[in-house]
């Protein structure tokens, strides 16, 4: 037993030993209760990890280690999400093939994760770019296609001129490409779309559903549920028809305020509304109308809906409609503040009650009727529910993605690839730059494109668009249950055993992207009876960021990135782990501090030192405090209150440092420390003659008798005057009572934190502090 704590030596030693013993291998056939804990798997970027990334991985590792010691069969897997724009853009700038870049980056990630001592079962590793994996991503697509939930469309979609690909609404941030920040345009493009809107209602409803025991089906942070509700955006209102004068046609509007119909003084159609073209013959100012349509063609929705922009629009001269409520003839306009893709693409304008309508009416001198009669909901309208959620634009005109497994036949039309022919492998090519023409680079590889139709054996061509980067992550958590299965996506039995993910930890930025898509696929797979649960993630916890020492987000741009490899070298992985858990409440952001990491390091040195001074038995104060600590640390880890768990351990170690500690109690301390300082706990445990790993030992039980307190209230005096009262236990040591008294806010007011000259403790009655 070395007298100095040499983290380098012991961390290397146990990494090897754990690997060899395979202690984290998870079995699928256990009698133990299961616990499935999952990190959002990373995209293996070229930069490797910075100290912010592992915060979530360390947290799940702490929980997973405790649960394993508590007798659970724990599934804690890891893998890589490596298809998509970021990987391909990185490869293009670095001039290496994405496949090679991904391989290299994954290797580096695994080394870094290994050093930090995270307990993954690498036997279950998955990689979304592995044909054996994406075979099943393609299989799920085929099932969607067969159920009519994947369809071809030519509607204008979001187009990023820099990434040269179509994008889904979820890929935008305030109208810009989420990847590169470029303003997105609208472009008509042939594309594959998934009908996620068919699931809008069940995605919404299950956010508030209960399980069979009356608990929330989804134990998720309320703000993330609220973000999903807003994204789905359910509106209840009515559709009302306005007959066009001297025509059989009617214009149908969607409104959430049918009661305001008497105040509707004109109608507005979206410039792209099909009726505009159909009424061309009747419109007397067509060239003006046509000009306006051209002008707004490429504008993004966010831009169009902004209330602070000057309203624009053109009247459709020659067209009038009748307001069915008061039978008055009113004018019809086109304006870009009405979107073609929402509701019916047409509105009744009520300038007295709606801000945008009011701005428009003022600008174009349209009537504003203030005191109008209110109508009942059913009088003129057909009740109607609409959603903001749009179908998922699922094709990308890029190389680095899963090929969409469809074939276009001259005779038979679109034909699905036979399941036995999956996977459709991405061809290996030298040149994979995006073309910008709306066609994927795959389209030029004629050897790959030209195939025989699976139905008629005639001439046919493969679909050349690829899937978006969100495809592989929409179901990966299912594959961890059965990662090597070549016959099924996941075997029924295994899926039923592992059920849903018990705890899912990751960044909140996925609230309305990955977390919506995965719920959608999961619900679909449930409906086709491929799986047995309605929701993928039972409990969700978001991770607060670790900011740079300057308080800004860690980024190459600010030069404030802290590399975990350096920290591990200097202080050890255990110190890094404890520091990241101690840095603040888990879900909140906190700035990295090089000074603050010293505390956790000193704490570990104390733990190490105590090993050298063990006695036959512990003093009663140590014994009592230890049992309170077992209880509190277990509860705190379960509640993901890691910072308070660590501070509880610190208080206990301080008491041990100044009192007598028996070997038995010291070993208990090591066991509850093991989830945090997994290397040091193992080394010290081993040094006390234990042959099996501490990480598979049994989590200690606290003795209820020992934590029963003989609590008393005592007075705290400062220079002879009573300034506060504190609650202590009669067994508390004088030192502990003194620390507690000095930490009291009312006492602090009078001491200002100064070291007392003298302290007099009258046991169980009072403590007098002289400063
Ligand atoms: C008359 C009215 C009066 C309206 C009033 C609102 C207030 P949410 O809640 O977002 O669903 N609208 C309908 N379709 C639209 C489209 N395609 N583009 C832009 N605006 C559209 O809002 C529904 C309301 O937004 C609808 O109700 C309609 O204006 C407008 F005092 O009709 B309302
Ligand atoms: Zn882009």
């Amino acid at each position: 037993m070395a007298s100095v704590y040499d983290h380098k030596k012991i961390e290397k030693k146990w990494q090897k030993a754990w690997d060899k013993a395979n202690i984290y291998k998870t079995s699928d056939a256990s009698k133990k209760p299961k616990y499935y804990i999952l990190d959002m798997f990373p995209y293996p970027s070229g930069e490797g990890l910075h100290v912010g990334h592992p915060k979530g991985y360390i947290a799940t590792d702490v929980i997973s280690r405790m649960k394993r010691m508590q007798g659970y069969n724990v599934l804690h897997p890891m893998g890589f999400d490596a298809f998509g724009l970021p990987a391909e853009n990185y490869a293009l700038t670095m001039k290496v093939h994405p496949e090679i870049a991904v391989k290299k980056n994954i290797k580096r990630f695994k080394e870094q994760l290994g050093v930090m001592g995270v307990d993954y079962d690498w036997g279950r590793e998955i990689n979304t770019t592995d044909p054996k994996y994406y075979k099943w991503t393609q299989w799920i697509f085929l099932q969607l296609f067969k159920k009519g939930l994947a369809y071809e469309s030519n509607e204008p979609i979001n187009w990023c001129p820099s990434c040269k690909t179509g994008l889904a609404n979820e890929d935008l941030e305030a109208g810009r490409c989420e990847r590169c920040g470029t303003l997105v345009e609208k472009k008509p493009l042939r594309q594959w779309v998934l009908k996620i809107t068919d699931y809008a209602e069940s995605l919404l409803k299950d956010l508030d559903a209960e399980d069979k025991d009356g608990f929330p089906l989804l134990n998720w942070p309320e703000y993330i549920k609220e973000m999903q509700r807003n994204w789905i955006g359910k509106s209840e209102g009515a559709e009302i028809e306005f007959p066009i004068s001297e025509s059989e046609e009617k214009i149908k509007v969607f409104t959430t305020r049918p009661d305001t119909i008497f105040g509707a003084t004109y109608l507005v159609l979206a410039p792209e509304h099909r009726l505009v073209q159909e009424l061309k013959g009747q419109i007397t100012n067509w060239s003006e109308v046509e000009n306006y349509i051209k002008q707004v063609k490429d504008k993004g929705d966010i831009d169009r809906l902004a209330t602070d922009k000057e309203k624009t629009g053109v009247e459709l001269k020659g067209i009038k409609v009748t307001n069915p409520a008061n039978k008055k003839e009113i004018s019809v306009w086109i304006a870009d503040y009405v979107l073609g893709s929402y509701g019916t693409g047409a509105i009744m304008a009520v300038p007295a009650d709606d801000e945008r309508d009011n701005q428009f009416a003022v600008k174009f001198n349209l009537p504003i009727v203030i005191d109008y009669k209110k109508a009942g909901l059913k009088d003129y309208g057909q009740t109607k529910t609409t959603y903001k959620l749009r179908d998922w634009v699922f094709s990308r005109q890029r190389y680095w993605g899963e090929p969409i497994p469809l074939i276009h036949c001259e005779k038979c039309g679109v034909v699905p690839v036979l399941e036995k022919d999956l996977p459709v492998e991405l061809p290996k090519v030298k040149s994979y730059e995006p073309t910008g023409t709306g066609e994927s680079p795959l389209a030029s590889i004629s050897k790959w494109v030209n195939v025989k139709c699976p139905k008629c054996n005639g001439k046919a061509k493969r679909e050349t668009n690829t899937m978006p980067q969100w495809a592989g992550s929409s179901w990966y958590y299912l594959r961890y249950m059965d990662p090597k299965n070549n016959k099924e996506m996941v075997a029924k039995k295994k899926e039923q055993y592992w059920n849903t993910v018990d705890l899912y930890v990751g960044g909140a930025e996925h609230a309305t992207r990955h977390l919506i898509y995965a719920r959608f696929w999961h619900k679909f797979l449930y409906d086709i009876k491929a799986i047995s649960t309605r929701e993928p993630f039972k409990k969700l916890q978001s991770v607060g960021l670790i900011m740079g020492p300057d308080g800004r987000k860690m980024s190459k741009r600010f030069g404030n990135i802290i590399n975990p490899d350096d920290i591990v070298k200097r202080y050890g992985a255990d110190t890094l782990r404890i520091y990241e858990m101690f840095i603040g409440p888990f879900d909140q952001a906190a700035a990295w501090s090089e000074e603050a990491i010293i505390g956790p390091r000193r704490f570990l040195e104390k733990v190490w030192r105590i090993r050298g001074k063990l006695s036959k038995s512990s003093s009663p104060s140590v014994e009592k405090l230890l049992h309170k600590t077992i209880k509190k640390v277990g509860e705190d880890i379960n509640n993901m209150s890691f910072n308070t768990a660590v501070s509880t351990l610190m208080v206990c170690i301080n008491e041990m440092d100044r009192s007598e500690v028996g070997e038995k109690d010291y070993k208990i301390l090591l066991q509850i420390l093991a989830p945090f300082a997994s290397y040091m706990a193992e080394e010290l445990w081993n040094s006390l003659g234990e042959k099996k790993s501490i990480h598979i030992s049994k989590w200690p039980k606290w003795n209820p008798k020992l934590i029963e307190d003989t609590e008393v209230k005592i007075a705290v005096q400062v220079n002879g005057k009573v300034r506060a009262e504190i609650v202590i236990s009669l067994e508390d040591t004088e030192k502990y009572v003194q620390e507690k008294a000095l930490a009291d806010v009312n006492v602090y007011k009078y001491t200002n934190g100064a070291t007392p000259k003298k302290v007099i403790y009258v046991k169980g009655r009072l403590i007098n502090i002289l400063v």
Side-chain angles (χ1 to χ4, degrees):
M1 188 67 218
S3 59
V4 192
Y5 167 38
D6 178 354
H7 63 262
K8 281 193 185 140
K9 211 162 127 193
I10 65 174
E11 289 180 3
K12 195 164 276 152
K13 166 177 157 192
W14 290 110
Q15 264 156 38
K16 271 199 198 135
W18 292 338
D19 269 357
K20 218 168 126 199
N22 222 345
I23 61 170
Y24 309 128
K25 194 169 152 44
T26 311
S27 113
D28 298 307
S30 173
K31 289 255 144 56
K32 294 176 187 173
K34 68 98 192 184
Y35 190 77
Y36 186 1
I37 182 167
L38 185 65
D39 302 287
M40 290 184 187
F41 66 163
Y43 144 69
S45 84
E47 269 114 59
L49 298 172
H50 66 55
V51 288
H53 296 119
K55 187 175 162 192
Y57 307 154
I58 295 168
T60 53
D61 189 56
V62 168
I63 298 175
S64 132
R65 286 177 190 275
M66 178 182 79
K67 292 278 183 191
R68 187 179 297 110
M69 290 170 79
Q70 289 175 337
Y72 288 86
N73 186 29
V74 176
L75 176 55
H76 186 212
M78 187 40 106
F80 299 93
D81 188 18
F83 263 141
L85 284 181
E88 188 176 329
N89 286 345
Y90 172 83
L92 283 168
T93 19
M94 303 307 280
K95 305 228 179 319
V96 275
H97 195 280
E99 200 181 302
I100 294 167
V102 161
K103 261 204 191 107
K104 200 175 122 225
N105 296 347
I106 286 180
K107 188 166 167 267
R108 166 113 181 88
F109 261 67
K110 285 179 75 172
E111 275 163 16
Q112 285 190 302
L113 290 171
V115 165
M116 278 177 284
V118 187
D119 68 351
Y120 298 124
D121 175 0
W122 285 111
R124 290 175 188 255
E125 174 182 354
I126 56 179
N127 171 347
T128 54
T129 67
D130 179 349
K132 290 198 195 90
Y133 177 85
Y134 69 71
K135 168 177 179 177
W136 300 104
T137 312
Q138 291 174 334
W139 180 85
I140 296 169
F141 179 88
L142 283 184
Q143 311 313 309
L144 286 159
F145 178 79
K146 286 172 189 168
K147 292 280 176 202
L149 290 165
Y151 63 95
E152 215 171 1
S153 154
N154 286 295
E155 293 291 300
I157 55 156
N158 308 304
W159 171 264
C160 173
S162 161
C163 294
K164 298 189 174 114
T165 182
L167 297 171
N169 275 359
E170 286 79 9
D171 294 318
L172 309 190
E173 234 155 50
R176 289 172 184 277
C177 168
E178 180 258 338
R179 275 291 129 212
C180 70
T182 306
L183 206 57
V184 162
E185 297 167 357
K186 286 272 172 188
K187 181 168 171 152
L189 203 65
R190 184 189 70 83
Q191 80 233 230
W192 286 97
V193 182
L194 299 187
K195 229 172 176 176
I196 189 172
T197 51
D198 269 19
Y199 280 81
E201 195 54 36
S202 78
L203 286 169
L204 192 65
K205 236 179 41 216
D206 276 343
L207 290 174
D208 296 307
E210 288 180 352
D211 67 13
K212 61 181 192 322
D213 303 313
F215 291 106
L217 183 63
L218 297 181
N219 180 2
W220 287 24
E222 185 49 37
Y223 79 96
I224 292 191
K225 287 189 180 179
E226 188 60 15
M227 283 169 81
Q228 292 212 342
R229 281 186 204 106
N230 291 334
W231 188 259
I232 296 164
K234 180 175 181 174
S235 276
E236 284 177 285
E239 282 184 352
I240 304 177
E241 292 185 322
F242 287 66
I244 301 175
S245 310
E246 289 153 51
S247 162
E248 296 290 290
E249 290 271 9
K250 287 173 179 162
I251 298 177
K252 198 191 263 180
V253 305
F254 171 69
T255 175
T256 44
R257 296 286 311 276
D259 61 308
T260 63
I261 189 166
F262 283 96
T265 55
Y266 62 100
L267 290 199
V268 187
L269 301 182
E272 60 270 44
H273 198 292
R274 89 184 147 80
L275 270 180
V276 180
Q277 299 298 332
E278 284 169 25
L279 293 168
K280 187 172 165 180
Q282 252 174 284
I283 297 170
T284 55
N285 58 336
W286 181 252
S287 66
E288 199 190 348
V289 169
E290 207 174 19
N291 261 337
Y292 183 74
I293 294 173
K294 261 194 209 131
Q295 207 180 299
V296 302
K297 201 175 80 264
D298 294 337
K299 273 202 191 174
D301 291 356
I302 301 257
D303 210 23
R304 289 173 55 165
L305 286 176
T307 41
D308 56 345
K309 288 247 169 73
E310 167 125 8
K311 294 280 154 303
T312 60
V314 172
E315 185 178 355
L316 301 183
K317 292 201 173 132
I319 309 285
K320 295 273 181 204
V321 292
T322 303
N323 181 330
N326 55 21
K327 308 290 183 240
K328 281 193 183 139
E329 269 205 334
I330 56 176
S331 58
V332 180
W333 295 67
I334 54 170
D336 66 359
Y337 77 97
V338 174
L339 303 179
S341 56
Y342 186 64
T344 60
I347 66 154
M348 62 177 204
V350 185
D353 265 274
D354 183 275
E355 195 194 333
R356 277 188 281 250
D357 296 345
N358 190 278
Q359 290 169 347
F360 193 83
V362 168
K363 175 158 177 190
F364 292 102
N365 246 324
L366 290 156
I368 303 173
V369 180
I370 304 231
D371 249 336
Y372 55 78
K373 205 165 100 193
K374 295 268 172 190
L377 173 67
K378 293 250 158 61
D379 296 349
Y380 307 96
Q382 186 75 23
T383 56
K384 173 84 189 176
T385 303
T386 351
Y387 300 88
K388 295 240 154 57
L389 184 71
R390 293 280 82 100
D391 278 342
W392 178 6
V393 173
F394 196 71
S395 43
R396 298 290 176 275
Q397 293 68 49
R398 299 281 301 227
Y399 168 71
W400 192 236
E402 302 87 346
I404 291 177
L406 295 174
I407 288 168
H408 299 267
C409 168
E410 286 169 12
K411 263 198 239 127
C412 315
V414 179
V415 182
V417 170
L418 298 175
E419 283 183 18
K420 73 166 179 49
D421 292 336
L422 294 181
V424 176
E425 284 200 42
L426 192 60
K428 297 206 184 348
V429 293
K430 283 218 176 69
S431 146
Y432 47 86
E433 277 82 9
T435 62
T437 58
E439 286 240 56
S440 144
L442 292 179
S444 63
I445 309 167
S446 47
K447 242 173 105 187
W448 182 81
V449 170
N450 294 315
V451 284
K452 278 190 183 147
C453 169
K455 246 193 204 153
C456 72
N457 226 9
K459 261 184 152 178
K461 284 183 189 306
R462 284 193 192 283
E463 170 63 51
T464 57
N465 282 328
T466 53
M467 298 189 197
Q469 73 207 60
W470 306 106
S473 60
S474 294
W475 72 282
Y476 74 112
Y477 55 91
L478 292 170
R479 191 63 178 170
Y480 284 132
M481 299 173 182
D482 194 7
K484 306 231 159 80
N485 195 333
N486 284 327
K487 296 201 182 73
E488 295 159 286
M489 172 183 78
V490 51
K492 268 256 144 59
K493 250 191 154 159
K494 292 185 182 178
E495 186 272 328
Q496 279 164 1
Y497 175 73
W498 289 111
N499 199 261
T500 51
V501 173
D502 294 282
L503 175 63
Y504 195 27
V505 177
E509 70 275 14
H510 292 295
T512 55
R513 294 190 176 119
H514 160 60
L515 288 171
I516 290 241
Y517 292 148
R519 291 184 63 216
F520 163 41
W521 276 30
H522 194 93
K523 286 184 175 310
F524 167 73
L525 291 170
Y526 173 74
D527 284 349
I528 62 165
K529 302 198 164 61
I531 55 173
S532 61
T533 57
R534 249 160 64 197
E535 285 284 340
F537 315 118
K538 175 97 198 130
K539 180 173 175 174
L540 178 74
Q541 178 66 52
S542 52
V543 194
L545 290 178
I546 293 186
M547 315 298 267
D550 54 0
R552 291 191 292 186
K553 207 170 156 173
M554 269 190 208
S555 145
K556 242 191 181 164
R557 184 151 49 109
F558 301 136
N560 60 356
I561 289 188
I562 308 281
N563 185 330
D565 304 7
D566 298 341
I567 302 297
V568 167
K569 255 186 222 135
R570 218 168 320 148
Y571 303 98
D574 283 338
T575 300
L576 174 77
R577 292 166 62 96
I578 290 189
Y579 176 54
E580 295 215 355
M581 293 298 95
F582 188 53
I583 196 164
F586 181 66
D587 59 348
Q588 283 165 36
W592 180 268
S593 153
E594 189 80 45
E595 289 94 67
I597 200 171
I598 305 295
R601 170 72 196 196
R602 295 271 147 77
F603 160 67
L604 287 179
E605 283 167 2
K606 247 181 237 171
V607 175
W608 188 265
R609 205 159 61 215
I610 294 167
R611 165 71 179 85
K613 61 152 230 182
L614 296 180
S615 326
K616 273 232 159 64
S617 63
S618 304
S619 67
S621 67
V622 163
E623 207 182 12
K624 257 191 108 98
L625 189 57
L626 177 66
H627 281 261
K628 279 191 199 167
T629 306
I630 300 172
K631 179 168 186 278
K632 176 92 167 102
V633 167
E635 286 166 358
D636 282 355
I637 293 177
N638 260 329
N639 297 329
M640 304 190 78
S641 179
F642 305 105
N643 58 332
T644 57
V646 171
S647 67
T648 303
L649 284 165
M650 286 175 170
V651 170
C652 186
I653 279 296
N654 284 343
E655 187 63 29
M656 289 184 160
D657 197 30
R658 59 183 166 240
S659 316
E660 306 233 295
V661 187
E663 182 174 316
K664 187 173 123 268
D665 285 347
Y666 182 65
K667 280 165 82 173
I668 291 177
L669 187 274
L670 292 178
Q671 285 180 296
I672 55 175
L673 176 69
F676 294 94
S678 38
Y679 291 111
M680 177 186 272
E682 185 79 306
E683 172 72 17
L684 292 169
W685 177 258
N686 180 265
S687 80
L688 290 165
E690 291 288 345
K691 291 279 166 288
K692 278 197 186 140
S693 170
I694 192 168
H695 301 294
I696 48 174
S697 70
K698 237 171 135 183
W699 188 256
K701 284 204 166 70
W702 40 274
N703 180 344
K705 278 209 192 89
L706 280 172
I707 67 163
E708 248 169 46
D709 253 324
T710 35
E711 280 183 341
V712 284
K713 236 189 224 161
I714 62 162
V716 185
Q717 298 179 337
V718 180
N719 295 335
K721 281 211 175 92
V722 176
R723 298 297 185 187
E725 274 186 343
I726 57 170
V727 177
I728 55 147
S729 134
L730 281 179
E731 288 81 8
D732 287 339
T733 61
E734 182 168 344
K735 177 94 185 157
Y736 177 81
V737 174
Q738 180 183 327
E739 275 171 8
K740 191 152 181 184
L742 284 169
D744 187 279
V745 277
N746 291 314
V747 174
Y748 193 86
K749 259 194 244 164
Y750 295 95
T751 62
N752 278 325
T755 320
K757 282 204 193 95
K758 197 173 174 188
V759 180
I760 303 149
Y761 177 45
V762 184
K763 191 165 179 177
R765 284 195 41 222
L766 69 84
I767 182 163
N768 188 5
I769 297 162
L770 301 170
V771 286

